[in-house]
Amino acid sequence: LNNSSTANGYYSSNALHADWTDPTIWADAVSVPDASGSSTDAAGNTVSFVVHRLCATPDAIPDENCAQSNERSAAAQGSSMRSGAPPATGLPWYFYRISVRVQGPRETLSIVQTNVQVQ
């Protein structure tokens, strides 16, 4: 996960602040085939995705320039937002943004994004 793999729709940084409706942004996106293996389903929809690791530096080991959170000790559960709460300990969890685009047969366009956290 430290290196970009654009052929697989993965970017190791979030250097791109995109206009997600711009078709050129999706040039390296991965198309999701339907059950028959076609990139367009029976209704004429094309689904594609890209994944960005939320880090400022591409192709590098995650560091403080990445969106992350840490585990907390059992005593600190539920108090992480409290002033003076115990500091985070343990391995960091890094954030990734998954962007999915569905282009329909009648010039319709849907873009959905979600963030996930991975240790």
Side-chain angles (χ1 to χ4, degrees), residues 15-27 52 97 99 101 109 111 113:
L16 174 70
H17 296 285
D19 170 5
W20 293 101
T21 61
D22 180 356
T24 60
I25 297 300
W26 295 90
H52 289 91
R97 180 182 57 227
S99 303
R101 175 182 162 199
L109 181 66
I111 298 171
Q113 294 180 314

Side-chain angles (χ1 to χ4, degrees), residues 66-71 90-96 116-119:
C66 295
Q68 62 180 295
S69 67
N70 290 74
E71 295 175 342
L91 298 172
W93 291 69
Y94 295 101
F95 290 89
Y96 298 81
V116 296
Q117 193 175 357
V118 178
Q119 187 172 34

Side-chain angles (χ1 to χ4, degrees), residues 44-109:
N45 298 303
T46 303
V47 179
S48 52
F49 72 90
V50 292
V51 177
H52 289 91
R53 181 176 67 170
L54 299 183
C55 293
T57 308
D59 300 326
I61 295 172
D63 58 16
E64 67 277 351
N65 293 319
C66 295
Q68 62 180 295
S69 67
N70 290 74
E71 295 175 342
R72 298 197 175 265
S73 66
Q77 291 295 323
S79 62
S80 62
M81 300 301 287
R82 180 177 55 100
S83 177
T89 59
L91 298 172
W93 291 69
Y94 295 101
F95 290 89
Y96 298 81
R97 180 182 57 227
I98 301 169
S99 303
V100 178
R101 175 182 162 199
V102 180
Q103 180 138 14
R106 297 183 194 162
E107 302 296 323
T108 57
L109 181 66

